[in-house]
Amino acid sequence: MFRSDNERTDLALERATIATSRAGQQIPGMDVREEEMDGIKITRVSVHTPQAGAQIGKPPGRYFTLECPALRFRSRETLKHVAGIIAAELSELAGLPRQNDVLIVGLGNWQATPDALGPRVVSQLMITRNIREHLPQELGGRLNPVAAISPGVLGITGMETIDIVRGIVEQVRPELVITVDALAARSPSRLLTTIQIADTGIQPGSGVGNKRPGINQETLGIPVIAIGIPTVVSGAAIAMDALDAYFQRFNPHARATLDSVGDFLGQELRDLMVTTKDIDVEIMEMSKLLASALNKATQPAISEEEMLDYLQ
Amino acid sequence: MFRSDNERTDLALERATIATSRAGQQIPGMDVREEEMDGIKITRVSVHTPQAGAQIGKPPGRYFTLECPALRFRSRETLKHVAGIIAAELSELAGLPRQNDVLIVGLGNWQATPDALGPRVVSQLMITRNIREHLPQELGGRLNPVAAISPGVLGITGMETIDIVRGIVEQVRPELVITVDALAARSPSRLLTTIQIADTGIQPGSGVGNKRPGINQETLGIPVIAIGIPTVVSGAAIAMDALDAYFQRFNPHARATLDSVGDFLGQELRDLMVTTKDIDVEIMEMSKLLASALNKATQPAISEEEMLDYLQ
Amino acid sequence: MFRSDNERTDLALERATIATSRAGQQIPGMDVREEEMDGIKITRVSVHTPQAGAQIGKPPGRYFTLECPALRFRSRETLKHVAGIIAAELSELAGLPRQNDVLIVGLGNWQATPDALGPRVVSQLMITRNIREHLPQELGGRLNPVAAISPGVLGITGMETIDIVRGIVEQVRPELVITVDALAARSPSRLLTTIQIADTGIQPGSGVGNKRPGINQETLGIPVIAIGIPTVVSGAAIAMDALDAYFQRFNPHARATLDSVGDFLGQELRDLMVTTKDIDVEIMEMSKLLASALNKATQPAISEEEMLDYLQ
Amino acid sequence: MFRSDNERTDLALERATIATSRAGQQIPGMDVREEEMDGIKITRVSVHTPQAGAQIGKPPGRYFTLECPALRFRSRETLKHVAGIIAAELSELAGLPRQNDVLIVGLGNWQATPDALGPRVVSQLMITRNIREHLPQELGGRLNPVAAISPGVLGITGMETIDIVRGIVEQVRPELVITVDALAARSPSRLLTTIQIADTGIQPGSGVGNKRPGINQETLGIPVIAIGIPTVVSGAAIAMDALDAYFQRFNPHARATLDSVGDFLGQELRDLMVTTKDIDVEIMEMSKLLASALNKATQPAISEEEMLDYLQ
């Protein structure tokens, strides 16, 4: 129903829902499985064919999404529970732990709070690649090699992120890359309460029609797992929601006109982003959660207590 | 026309426009003067009576607003030109320079980019109160005493900002306080392109009905000038704009229903804020502009070249 | 033996040792008790009379010092153990927990890593003063009110720190102030391995002869506990150590000339500070340790798990 | 006279002086030219042969050193004058401007103030590589392509800096790399008052005997210019200076014993670094100076006024 420009979302889950609703039927070559427990909903979208991928604007692959509205309340118990699920899923999708190097890449801009998720996660990781050989064998032998970098965005470096990452990968020769990034969602209710893990890597910018090369197996030659959390929705999304709510309530028959209004609005709202009022605290909490899940998944032989010894 | 909850703005200019439009006539006790030159629009709202203040939800006083859409392009020429106008207006409203101490207070949260304007301005000010006596008379004699602090927000200190500021004022005994703060606007087109200076001080939170004490002459016992730049609009504002645009175009007669839709939306959008995609760069530029205007207004005897010698 | 200018240290323990060695006998009015266990040495210096205070250049009061060379290795176990001892000592010296407000003040300059200890501790504290009333009674009733601020140094604010703190104290009316600060030591072996707690508050600058008012019961009207960790020694201290080592080994009879050399060196070395090569990591670890000890001492009814729920 | 361990310096000028004094004659294959004007001393050390390089512990190449004690007073005039000289020398040594890409690499650790020079310079550079094609030809045609990155240190990334830089160079294919780094000096009087430019690239760690690969033409395949400013001296240097001063004054005949004392001291002082008390302000000023010189040298067709339009 919505035009693609107003549908901008990095979540496969949202794209699958929109595409299915638009098609009025199941998308062939894609299957969606859901489970729910203890207030946590997990959705697994599998895109099996390029045709299905084209319909949702995402490359074929597996997309795991965890939704937990209670993350908003930031209780230690919830954060720990979710970190455990994410660690397990990362291990599954990424085949962790790995005996050989894993490179974790924090994407995004550390100078803009809503885009700072990746760099903040990286600053809390357990970096081991350089210290294993200097440790007693008893300990060093249980550590898997992890390296990490936050390369900065195009405006800061003047270079495409893929070029920086590809260059490092060719020198350091990791077995796997994991990217961490702040995402855009379509629905504001998903901000900071949803986590996506994909085995397809990432596509900078909004996907469809974008010619910039992705950070993925095709461009790096090794598997790329992308983990992300939506921190912004577009201004257009909010506007369209308002109109849709109005139509649903007052004028259901006029919903067909929504498209043209959206078109008109898009222009004005393009330079806006919508985020939460507590974004500073929420980014901090969610970056801790992801760092903890990544540390756990990459270093299963190290207890949480022991892990704290290596973290600064 | 709009409900007060969806009208949340710190700009007197916007509140005056809304109130006038709602009243369908000039508000008695308030006058609004506009001038425009070289793409810069200046509006002076004077609120002469408490009654007029109640209608716009702002205390009586003088409100200067500069709107310059070209600030968005950040050309040095525009930034310098606007800084000059702001310096002149500050001098006028604040009676600068002052022989006695001026205290500049950077309000807001340095951990959230859109709220970091005040602290960033303070970090670029020329602080002179402590060095004048250590300088050669030739130079020290031309410097006026300026002190500054960024106290941090309630969630970080556990204390109301007014308590911190009042305490410092009673010890340091400045002659004048100037606050610098990020503001909320109603219209997204004003984000980072509008500057407000008020001789009324500030009211933390959204104004109407808020019981938290303000930072103003009443609470501090000395004049308080507030300078601010809108960096966010509420999610509700964007939603209402979308609906209004729809009605204007497709259903002008139904605008009366807007209110109830707004009511319904308000609930969902309350925890969202809308800002610009380039907020990191824009905050940096506008904080430079305000710091430069404040330095100029407080130290008119120091040339720009000489000023750079004191700044770090 | 050493000249006062080369003896610059904020540690009562070092000053007591120097003064005793110079006097060639116990200082009347001062007693020093030591205990040692598990590689941790604890010294309690009690200065009972102004005369004794004058001899060591510190006001009368109680000074607790913990020395733990193993802190250098930053094992979680050691850090936790020391945090427990500091929490207990803070409780004892400061009469914690307090039903009424406690204000924690992070002194020092966040822009210079070796001086950033205070501000970093403050950023990791559990701030409760503002939230107790908004919490369920079951929880809020168990929280004690804690507020905190990092006011910044004179060069940044243009104001004496004591003025800022005194102003806040008079508005907020806490029952107790705890300052946290980076200290200067005389011996490099104490850097980042020693923690001092004093019930005398602090004296900005180096003490003897300094006319700037202190942050203490006399100036604030309420008890002031000062907690600090040495992060720097003066360049002169290193130079004197080298000379002393030389004399001890090669020319014991010439030690009398040390003084005049020290005098000569002082001039050149005055603008230097000596710190550790790992200061960035060590400041981070020790700020965590102190924040954890302060949180524990101020909120004994909250478990460590529960505490993490409030921290960002 | 001094042992190599106590001679740790990254300045070719200091190494040349020490080596010459030790040899008691000119080093064959090395020439040193000095000029002095307006309180600025410029020394050009040319190392023509590997033998000469081995004697001073630096690879063959050209080393430019500017010494300006007045930099300590940070007057705008001095800073601008020195920036101009550095820009001119960079242009000469680096063959600037370049039609093809220049990559500037900020080395060092942003979390430790004395080591943060490189990252701070990078954050103030004019990054143009990504915007030239989007600009009007009139302007874009006058811009030369500059990219930059601060990769972080080994402890933060787990990767050798050379691997990161080499990887990027192979992808981005710049014509030239310029590194910016904080250096170690032997003499404290050179801290923050000396600037070195070398056409030899850099050798991580202290040089002699270090097996870690350098960042230089040999490892990158393109010219590498290294620009640096000393921000630390070793604790051992201060200690040795004290002993030397003592001997000079009181016991000139005993200077032969200095070596063994130095040996003894070295052990204890190895983990200390000595920097200036105003390091936070001085790093800020000197990073501005270098960024300004680099911007000027890389973009000679852009006026200073115009340049400010691109900088954030």
Side-chain angles (χ1 to χ4, degrees), chain C residues 111-301:
Chain C
Q111 291 180 326
T113 311
D115 200 23
L117 182 75
R120 294 224 188 154
V121 168
V122 159
S123 73
Q124 297 171 79
L125 290 175
M126 188 170 161
I127 303 300
T128 54
R129 184 178 179 270
N130 55 314
I131 55 170
R132 289 191 315 148
E133 58 196 88
H134 307 298
L135 294 175
Q137 170 60 18
E138 185 276 323
L139 172 60
R142 289 182 295 137
L143 285 175
N144 300 300
V146 172
I149 195 165
S150 294
V153 292
L154 179 62
I156 283 178
T157 64
M159 300 178 281
E160 290 286 349
T161 304
I162 179 61
D163 289 337
I164 299 173
V165 175
R166 185 159 43 197
I168 294 171
V169 164
E170 292 191 358
Q171 293 296 316
V172 171
R173 295 277 171 210
E175 199 182 347
L176 171 77
V177 162
I178 301 174
T179 63
V180 185
D181 201 5
L183 306 177
R186 174 64 189 73
S187 162
S189 67
R190 289 207 176 84
L191 293 180
L192 283 308
T193 61
T194 296
I195 304 173
Q196 174 176 277
I197 312 176
D199 67 358
T200 58
I202 74 140
Q203 182 63 38
S206 72
V208 195
N210 189 319
K211 289 297 187 353
R212 293 166 65 192
I215 301 179
N216 51 39
Q217 176 133 23
E218 191 187 328
T219 54
L220 293 186
I222 53 172
V224 180
I225 299 295
I227 182 161
I229 293 178
T231 62
V232 292
V233 300
S234 73
I238 300 290
M240 293 305 283
D241 282 352
L243 289 168
D244 199 38
Y246 169 78
F247 286 129
Q248 274 187 40
R249 193 146 161 187
F250 299 100
N251 199 357
H253 301 297
R255 289 183 81 187
T257 61
L258 199 49
D259 215 15
S260 47
V261 186
D263 195 25
F264 166 67
L265 292 171
Q267 209 56 24
E268 260 204 333
L269 298 167
R270 199 155 290 167
D271 294 334
L272 298 179
M273 65 179 177
V274 182
T275 189
T276 64
K277 282 186 180 164
D278 285 342
I279 186 66
D280 56 321
V281 176
E282 292 177 335
I283 281 277
M284 220 181 306
E285 281 302 339
M286 296 308 280
S287 68
K288 271 190 207 167
L289 188 160
L290 290 190
S292 147
L294 282 160
N295 287 334
K296 205 170 191 164
T298 52
Q299 310 293 352

Side-chain angles (χ1 to χ4, degrees), chain B residues 1-4 6-9 11-32 45-47 49-58 186 190 208:
Chain B
M1 180 83 60
F2 297 145
R3 288 172 47 83
S4 62
N6 301 315
E7 284 160 16
R8 167 143 172 49
T9 169
L11 294 175
L13 168 59
E14 291 186 332
R15 286 172 173 266
T17 306
I18 293 168
T20 305
S21 140
R22 189 191 293 140
Q25 58 167 50
Q26 290 280 352
I27 307 280
M30 176 176 87
D31 63 70
V32 177
V45 176
S46 295
V47 179
T49 64
Q51 291 75 15
Q55 276 192 271
I56 70 162
K58 283 280 192 187
R186 173 64 189 74
R190 289 207 175 85
V208 194

Side-chain angles (χ1 to χ4, degrees), chain D residues 47-51 53 58-63 199-200:
Chain D
V47 179
H48 302 292
T49 63
Q51 292 75 15
K58 283 279 192 187
R62 289 183 293 165
Y63 299 88
D199 67 359
T200 58

